Amino acid sequence: DFNSFVSRTNTCGELRSAHVGQEVTLYGWIQYQRQGLFLILRDFQGLTQIIIPQDEARSHVKKLLSNAPVESVVRVTGIVSPRPPGQENPKMPTGDIEVQAETAEILNSCKKLPFEIKDFTKKSEALRMQYRYLDLRSSQLQQNLRLRSQLVMRMRDYLCNLHGFVDVETPTLFKRTPGGAKEFLVPSREAGKFYSLPQSPQQFKQLLMIGGLDRYFQVARCYRDEGSRPDRQPEFTQIDIEMSFVDQAGIQRLIEGLLKYSWPEERDSITTPFPSMTYEEALADYGTDKPDTRFGMKIVDVSDFFQRSDVQFVQNALSYPCGTVKAICIPQGMRYLKNKDLESLKESAKSQFNQEIIPIICRPDGSLKSLLTKFLGEKQQSELIQVLNMQVDDVVMLAAGERKQVCSALGSLRLESADLLEAVGLVLRDPTAFHFLWVVDFPLFLPKEENPTELESAHHPFTAPHPSDINLLYSDPTKVRSQHYDLVLNGNEVGGGSIRIHSAEQQRFVLEKVLKEDSEVLSHLLEALEFGAPPHGGIALGLDRLISLIVDAPSIRDVIAFPKSFRGRDLMGNAPDYVTPEELEPYHIQVSWPLTEKEAKKN
């Protein structure tokens, strides 16, 4: 009941022909006013047309409503009437009626707006962020936030009421966690000691399992100091879950049921169980661990074909360890793409992956156009067309080199090619289709980018090794698969989790011997694991990303009430902000190089 506890009788979106003759009191914002004849009143639920009285007896009401600026907040009391024949508006749910105003009150007048409150009005994102409270009045943001609220409520119902999960709030002030993303530091009044804002409640949820809670759930606020990332937020929300006595299949069934139960009715339904592929399969077929399976253009391995050829530079690539030759086929590429597009794809692979790309074009007569053709006879060319399943006007992008580099480059070109084809009108990735996918059997460890001789956790240091690979953990950690699983939706990672290490001895070995981390930082967790820790596992769903995909928002900022800019700033409240030396003194902190007043204003 939207009208309980408040002074209005109805919202601006609920009046229909059945209300004709009733006296109603509406509250809302003036969206539009025309020549002192009528105005459109808006609230969170919709729009109602208000007829401004023209008779002398209510001239004060006419003057008040005619002079009120757009976006002023008003109260209107009047009688619901049918619209005159031919003046109905089928585009408005309230389009069959109007309200004849009898009394009105301006509750708050609005000054000149920095932009119009209309969904179709183009406005810079910086301006929207600066005046976020005005941007929130748009119907799209209202819909996004309400859908988010409804989805979270359904998730709570499924987890807590249907499956016995316990909603537990975990601390925000904690200590640094080794590995993973960079954490925000919070000074304390103890000299030299700092809290950290947790990048996830990972340790706490494991400790809750050790504490015997069995099933934990939380809508958790998380923090990562990742600097300037266009579509990331320094603070974000996870649907955080942990269970005792569960395996990977159990977590997957839980999440599939959770999403099916909470999925918005107005969106296309989703089918469970979700398909699954291994990390190696994803990399081989799509060049990424988060494949968008809404369209084809899979990577094809043509190493066997070129093994039998005389193309020297390809043979050189195949002679290296993990050498390979792979390709993607862009259907009808010559019909839709220009030469400059093909050049931009080649340049992209070169600049991002240091990978050379050789285009192969199938001409209308069935012959091939490529630098490779002078090394291939007619029979070999015909065989290559068959291997690649090429049709007339298809364009193949071929790459030779180290396997992971080749796959990553072609996976990126696959997505860039889809962007180019969609820019000319083709639809490859239906935004109303939802293709969920489990990616499993990740490596437990990966070489560090800055020092490939050292290892880091592919997921986090608490992830358990695959049962079949436990012996390899002690002999060759680089070959160990993990019990880590990611949930992917339309090429975006929307969830990740794992079965956890529940042995203190194994956890200490991973931290000290494999990752070379100081285990003292995690002494509390290691000690807890020695007190009868149950086998346990869990997952976290990225709520912001999930909602943005459901509503097809261009950015996760469009599903967060008060987001930060891509530089991590709050443009509305101007945070972060400077503090005085006096305010820093209790925390034993001094700013080493204070900015000049001019520099401070500039920043």
Side-chain angles (χ1 to χ4, degrees):
D1 180 3
F2 291 123
N3 302 309
S4 54
F5 316 118
V6 293
S7 305
R8 64 173 176 251
T9 60
N10 302 87
T11 68
C12 293
E14 69 175 291
L15 296 177
R16 301 291 188 271
S17 297
H19 296 92
V20 167
Q22 293 182 17
E23 182 180 82
V24 296
T25 297
L26 308 179
Y27 288 76
W29 287 261
I30 297 175
Q31 175 151 309
Y32 173 76
Q33 191 265 118
R34 184 173 180 183
Q35 298 176 341
L37 299 174
F38 69 88
L39 60 82
I40 302 297
L41 195 64
R42 184 195 73 246
D43 67 7
F44 70 94
Q45 203 183 35
L47 309 169
T48 296
Q49 181 166 288
I50 307 294
I51 301 301
I52 300 172
Q54 303 298 312
D55 56 300
E56 189 63 34
R58 282 173 292 189
S59 59
H60 62 289
V61 177
K62 178 180 180 180
K63 182 179 178 181
L64 188 120
L65 294 178
S66 300
N67 294 333
V70 168
E71 290 303 310
S72 295
V73 185
V74 301
R75 174 193 60 77
V76 174
T77 297
I79 304 298
V80 182
S81 308
R83 291 201 187 189
Q87 293 185 22
E88 298 89 348
N89 185 349
K91 294 181 181 178
M92 286 175 65
T94 61
D96 288 336
I97 61 91
E98 56 195 17
V99 173
Q100 304 283 341
E102 294 191 332
T103 65
E105 180 184 1
I106 306 296
L107 301 173
N108 212 330
S109 185
C110 180
K111 70 176 188 178
K112 184 175 171 57
L113 293 162
F115 53 79
E116 289 186 271
I117 314 296
K118 291 178 181 175
D119 289 322
F120 56 80
T121 302
K122 288 191 176 180
K123 40 201 179 276
S124 74
E125 188 167 55
L127 196 62
R128 290 177 58 201
M129 302 272 281
Q130 184 181 352
Y131 295 96
R132 188 61 169 185
Y133 45 86
L134 294 179
D135 200 32
L136 284 169
R137 295 181 188 176
S138 71
S139 62
Q140 191 59 63
L141 274 181
Q142 289 268 332
Q143 289 168 19
N144 292 352
L145 293 176
R146 290 176 191 283
L147 182 141
R148 178 182 177 129
S149 172
Q150 291 161 9
L151 186 116
V152 170
M153 187 60 70
R154 294 278 289 168
M155 286 182 166
R156 285 186 189 279
D157 185 39
Y158 183 84
L159 292 169
C160 298
N161 295 336
L162 297 186
H163 293 285
F165 280 77
V166 184
D167 186 349
V168 181
E169 297 172 10
T170 54
T172 299
L173 294 176
F174 193 43
K175 64 187 291 186
R176 186 182 65 84
T177 303
K182 195 172 180 181
E183 295 170 335
F184 286 102
L185 297 177
V186 180
S188 76
R189 291 175 182 263
E190 295 185 56
K193 292 187 176 181
F194 292 80
Y195 296 105
S196 280
L197 299 182
Q199 52 189 292
S200 81
Q202 182 60 47
Q203 293 182 55
F204 290 111
K205 63 181 182 177
Q206 289 191 240
L207 292 166
L208 287 169
M209 296 305 101
I210 297 169
L213 250 75
D214 193 67
R215 297 181 170 205
Y216 144 90
F217 148 76
Q218 182 183 186
V219 181
R221 297 295 285 167
C222 305
Y223 308 87
R224 289 180 188 170
D225 187 6
E226 295 188 309
S228 300
R229 300 285 292 271
D231 209 27
R232 291 282 183 95
Q233 287 283 295
E235 50 182 330
F236 55 96
T237 307
Q238 288 182 174
I239 302 297
D240 204 47
I241 291 169
E242 197 80 5
M243 298 174 73
S244 296
F245 312 111
V246 71
D247 59 11
Q248 181 171 307
I251 295 286
Q252 289 174 331
R253 286 198 305 273
L254 167 74
I255 295 303
E256 288 166 357
L258 172 68
L259 288 169
K260 197 171 179 68
Y261 184 85
S262 58
W263 199 251
E265 292 177 1
E266 59 268 30
R267 297 296 185 270
D268 286 350
S269 60
I270 55 177
T271 304
T272 56
F274 302 151
S276 177
M277 71 174 64
T278 66
Y279 169 82
E280 290 296 332
E281 289 170 339
L283 194 64
D285 289 348
Y286 297 95
T288 176
D289 59 6
K290 45 186 178 186
D292 189 339
T293 55
R294 286 176 295 174
F295 69 110
M297 288 171 56
K298 287 185 182 181
I299 297 171
V300 179
D301 193 322
V302 289
S303 300
D304 287 348
F305 170 84
F306 281 99
Q307 199 86 54
R308 304 189 302 271
S309 74
D310 297 324
V311 185
Q312 193 57 48
F313 70 90
V314 174
Q315 289 294 334
N316 291 343
L318 287 170
S319 68
Y320 290 113
C322 300
T324 189
V325 187
K326 292 178 180 281
I328 59 168
C329 181
I330 306 171
Q332 302 294 288
M334 279 314 293
R335 184 181 296 182
Y336 298 107
L337 302 183
K338 299 181 174 68
N339 284 334
K340 68 171 186 177
D341 295 325
L342 301 183
E343 288 301 317
S344 77
L345 291 172
K346 288 169 62 178
E347 178 55 36
S348 175
K350 181 68 177 173
S351 62
Q352 291 185 61
F353 302 95
N354 195 29
Q355 179 65 53
E356 296 289 348
I357 297 292
I358 302 171
I360 307 172
I361 297 165
C362 188
R363 294 189 179 107
D365 62 2
S367 64
L368 297 181
K369 176 186 175 184
S370 174
L371 291 173
L372 288 175
T373 52
K374 61 183 176 184
F375 303 106
L376 302 173
E378 281 189 27
K379 185 179 177 184
Q380 285 179 306
Q381 290 186 38
S382 178
E383 188 181 342
L384 182 59
I385 289 171
Q386 286 186 323
V387 169
L388 293 168
N389 195 24
M390 290 184 77
Q391 309 293 322
V392 169
D393 286 338
D394 285 356
V395 175
V396 162
M397 308 300 271
L398 185 136
E402 190 274 326
R403 177 179 173 273
K404 188 165 185 182
Q405 178 178 303
V406 165
C407 289
S408 297
L410 290 176
S412 179
L413 292 191
R414 174 178 177 266
L415 297 175
E416 288 182 47
S417 302
D419 289 339
L420 290 169
L421 292 173
E422 289 183 334
V424 295
L426 294 183
V427 179
L428 274 73
R429 298 167 291 193
D430 181 358
T432 66
F434 298 99
H435 286 219
F436 281 98
L437 172 74
W438 289 108
V439 179
V440 299
D441 290 355
F442 283 81
L444 187 57
F445 307 109
L446 292 171
K448 288 184 177 179
E449 280 189 27
E450 64 275 15
N451 186 358
T453 61
E454 295 182 2
L455 296 177
E456 62 184 1
S457 296
H459 187 218
H460 57 52
F462 315 113
T463 300
H466 194 286
S468 305
D469 296 351
I470 288 177
N471 290 336
L472 288 171
L473 179 65
Y474 304 97
S475 59
D476 191 354
T478 59
K479 293 182 179 175
V480 180
R481 293 169 298 162
S482 70
Q483 294 190 69
H484 162 204
Y485 32 85
D486 275 355
L487 183 61
V488 176
L489 172 58
N490 296 354
N492 297 269
E493 181 191 334
V494 293
S498 65
I499 301 302
R500 323 300 185 188
I501 296 171
H502 66 279
S503 156
E505 181 185 357
Q506 190 179 88
Q507 184 67 78
R508 187 173 279 108
F509 179 84
V510 166
L511 289 167
E512 296 177 356
K513 304 300 183 186
V514 181
L515 300 176
K516 314 296 185 190
E517 295 278 4
D518 179 9
S519 64
E520 188 60 32
V521 180
L522 292 167
S523 59
H524 57 284
L525 180 63
L526 290 167
E527 185 179 19
L529 291 173
E530 293 174 334
F531 286 101
H536 57 284
I539 193 168
L541 299 178
L543 183 63
D544 308 313
R545 178 87 55 212
L546 178 63
I547 300 293
S548 70
L549 292 169
I550 290 173
V551 301
D552 193 27
S555 164
I556 61 170
R557 290 187 283 278
D558 290 319
V559 299
I560 300 171
F562 296 101
K564 303 290 187 290
S565 72
F566 80 95
R567 293 187 184 278
R569 292 191 61 81
D570 177 350
L571 301 181
M572 181 182 66
N574 196 31
D577 203 356
Y578 296 100
V579 295
T580 64
E582 291 76 22
E583 289 173 296
L584 288 174
E585 191 175 344
Y587 303 106
H588 313 280
I589 292 175
Q590 286 182 314
V591 179
S592 300
W593 296 283
L595 298 175
T596 65
E597 190 175 336
K598 185 178 179 181
E599 288 172 323
K601 284 181 178 177
K602 184 180 177 182
N603 281 276

